[in-house]
């Protein structure tokens, strides 16, 4: 039992470590993408010192802002910015967005599937405007995951699966050895390792201490049969007449035994009790009836 709990615990620990390692790799990938956007934006701004945005774009931006009577964010797929990205896989999905830094500046795009860099302020000499510029890239969570380093996560997941397979093989062999070393009778067996009866599915049979003692006595007796006096003397040595107590104990034990096995407890004229397989006991009963 402890071995099964240990196997399950190790498997869960490995799987949890795999999930944590995968999440860490995912977060590191997002940070690396944001850092790449920042360095590409810095290089682009250095290359376009004089005029980052054309005057026509600024005029169109102001016109849209007046028309919309609210905040407007311009997005531009700048070729230099995309070319300055170190990771070439981001270039087709990257763009720059800018807004006027005049107190009404947007915080940036707030939508799923978009990773943003840091906001940088740029003074445009031609127009005299100060612009808030930020680099973006459109990537789904699956795309970010594919860009992340998941070698440790996959290694831990494979280790967990390998551990699960090995544990199953060891447990299967252990069960085979238990069955080989234990006498199986009527679909149950007694496990000396943990001192309990187990059914065909290796699950423990729930018995009270007195039920356990009585069943074990019948189990270990020759032909699985004992006289009433012998049972009473062993279970209640200080009681003069324990017939009624034994009757009650047997009455409560019978449904438990019959429910988990192919056995049943048979009483022979109140003189003895036997633990018999149901089909065999039925045949014996029919023979007795025929003889009478």
């Amino acid at each position: 039992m402890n071995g099964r709990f240990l196997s399950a615990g190790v498997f869960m620990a490995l799987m949890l470590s795999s999930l944590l390692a995968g999440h860490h790799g995912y977060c590191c990938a997002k940070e690396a993408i944001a850092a790449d956007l920042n360095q590409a934006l810095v290089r682009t701004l250095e290359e376009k010192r004089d005029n980052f945005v054309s005057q026509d774009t600024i005029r169109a931006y102001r016109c849209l802002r007046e028309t919309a009577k609210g905040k407007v964010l311009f997005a531009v797929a700048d070729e230099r910015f995309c070319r300055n990205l170190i990771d070439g896989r981001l270039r087709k999905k990257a763009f720059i967005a800018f807004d006027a830094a005049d107190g009404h500046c947007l915080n940036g795009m707030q939508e799923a599937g978009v990773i943003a860099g840091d906001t940088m302020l740029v003074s445009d000499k031609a127009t005299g405007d100060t612009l808030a510029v930020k680099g973006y890239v459109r990537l789904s969570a699956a795309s970010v995951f594919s860009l992340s380093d998941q070698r440790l996560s996959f290694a831990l997941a494979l280790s967990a699966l390998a551990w699960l397979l090995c544990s199953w093989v060891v447990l299967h062999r252990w069960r085979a050895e238990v069955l080989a070393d234990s006498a199986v009778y009527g679909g149950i067996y007694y496990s000396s390792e943990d001192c309990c009866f187990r059914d065909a599915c290796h699950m423990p049979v729930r018995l009270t201490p007195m039920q356990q003692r009585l069943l074990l006595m019948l189990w270990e007796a020759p032909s699985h049969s004992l006289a009433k006096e012998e049972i009473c003397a062993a279970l209640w040595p200080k009681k003069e007449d324990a017939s009624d107590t034994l009757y009650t104990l047997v009455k409560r034990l019978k449904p438990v035994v019959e429910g988990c096995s192919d056995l049943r407890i048979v009483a022979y004229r109140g003189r003895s009790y036997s633990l018999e397989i149901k089909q065999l006991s039925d045949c014996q009963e029919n023979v007795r009836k025929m003889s009478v």
Side-chain angles (χ1 to χ4, degrees):
M1 184 65 69
N2 293 334
R4 289 196 290 269
F5 283 133
L6 176 62
S7 299
V10 173
F11 173 74
M12 293 301 295
L14 288 172
M15 288 302 298
L16 180 60
S17 299
S18 175
L19 293 174
L20 292 176
H23 182 264
H24 177 71
Y26 178 84
C27 293
C28 289
K30 289 186 69 174
E31 292 176 0
I33 292 171
D36 196 4
L37 293 173
N38 291 336
Q39 68 83 25
L41 183 58
V42 170
R43 293 178 59 183
T44 303
L45 293 176
E46 290 177 350
E47 294 173 3
K48 292 186 174 184
R49 291 180 180 177
D50 296 333
N51 190 12
F52 177 71
V53 182
S54 65
Q55 296 185 21
D56 293 337
T57 303
I58 293 295
R59 282 195 293 268
Y61 165 77
R62 288 174 176 170
C63 182
L64 284 174
R65 195 168 181 178
E66 292 176 0
T67 302
K69 295 181 180 180
K71 301 175 181 179
V72 177
L73 188 69
F74 256 40
V76 181
D78 190 86
E79 293 182 1
R80 292 188 182 183
F81 172 71
C82 296
R83 188 171 58 249
N84 287 331
L85 288 169
I86 297 175
D87 193 340
R89 296 170 294 183
L90 306 178
R91 292 171 182 169
K92 292 183 178 181
K93 299 180 180 181
F95 59 93
I96 296 174
F98 70 89
D99 189 16
D102 55 2
H104 302 284
C105 179
L106 287 175
N107 292 326
M109 291 186 177
Q110 304 293 330
E111 60 179 275
V114 174
I115 299 176
D118 297 331
T119 301
M120 299 183 185
L121 298 178
V122 180
S123 297
D124 191 280
K125 296 181 180 179
T127 62
D129 293 318
T130 300
L131 303 178
V133 186
K134 184 181 291 191
Y136 293 90
V137 62
R138 293 189 179 277
L139 288 176
S140 63
S143 298
V144 177
F145 185 82
S146 65
L147 295 175
S148 62
D149 184 4
Q150 297 295 330
R151 289 176 293 181
L152 178 58
S153 176
F154 288 148
L156 290 171
L158 289 176
S159 299
L161 294 177
W163 175 267
L164 181 63
L165 179 60
C166 293
S167 299
W168 181 85
V169 172
V170 171
L171 182 60
H172 183 72
R173 290 180 178 177
W174 174 78
R175 286 180 174 177
E177 292 175 358
V178 169
L179 289 177
D181 297 337
S182 304
V184 180
Y185 181 60
I188 63 172
Y189 66 94
Y190 182 73
S191 174
S192 57
E193 182 181 356
D194 47 10
C195 300
C196 73
F197 285 93
R198 293 185 177 273
D199 59 17
C201 298
H202 311 286
M203 298 300 294
V205 180
R206 296 184 178 275
L207 299 169
T208 65
M210 291 300 293
Q211 291 174 349
Q212 171 95 0
R213 290 183 62 186
L214 175 57
L215 182 58
L216 185 59
M217 288 179 62
L218 294 173
W219 183 270
E220 295 178 342
S223 301
H224 305 290
S225 180
L226 285 174
K228 180 182 69 173
E229 291 77 10
E230 187 176 355
I231 298 174
C232 292
L235 297 181
W236 303 280
K238 297 181 180 181
K239 198 168 185 178
E240 293 182 2
D241 186 7
S243 299
D244 293 340
T245 308
L246 176 59
Y247 174 80
T248 303
L249 179 60
V250 171
K251 182 179 179 181
R252 293 177 178 176
L253 179 59
K254 277 184 176 182
V256 179
V257 173
E258 294 179 5
C260 67
S261 68
D262 295 327
L263 299 175
R264 70 178 182 179
I265 299 175
V266 180
Y268 289 98
R269 298 180 181 179
R271 296 179 181 177
S272 64
Y273 291 91
S274 296
L275 189 63
E276 300 177 358
I277 297 177
K278 294 176 183 178
Q279 294 179 350
L280 294 179
S281 60
D282 290 341
C283 292
Q284 293 172 357
E285 183 68 23
N286 291 333
V287 169
R288 283 198 299 270
K289 289 180 180 180
M290 292 175 64
S291 62
V292 173

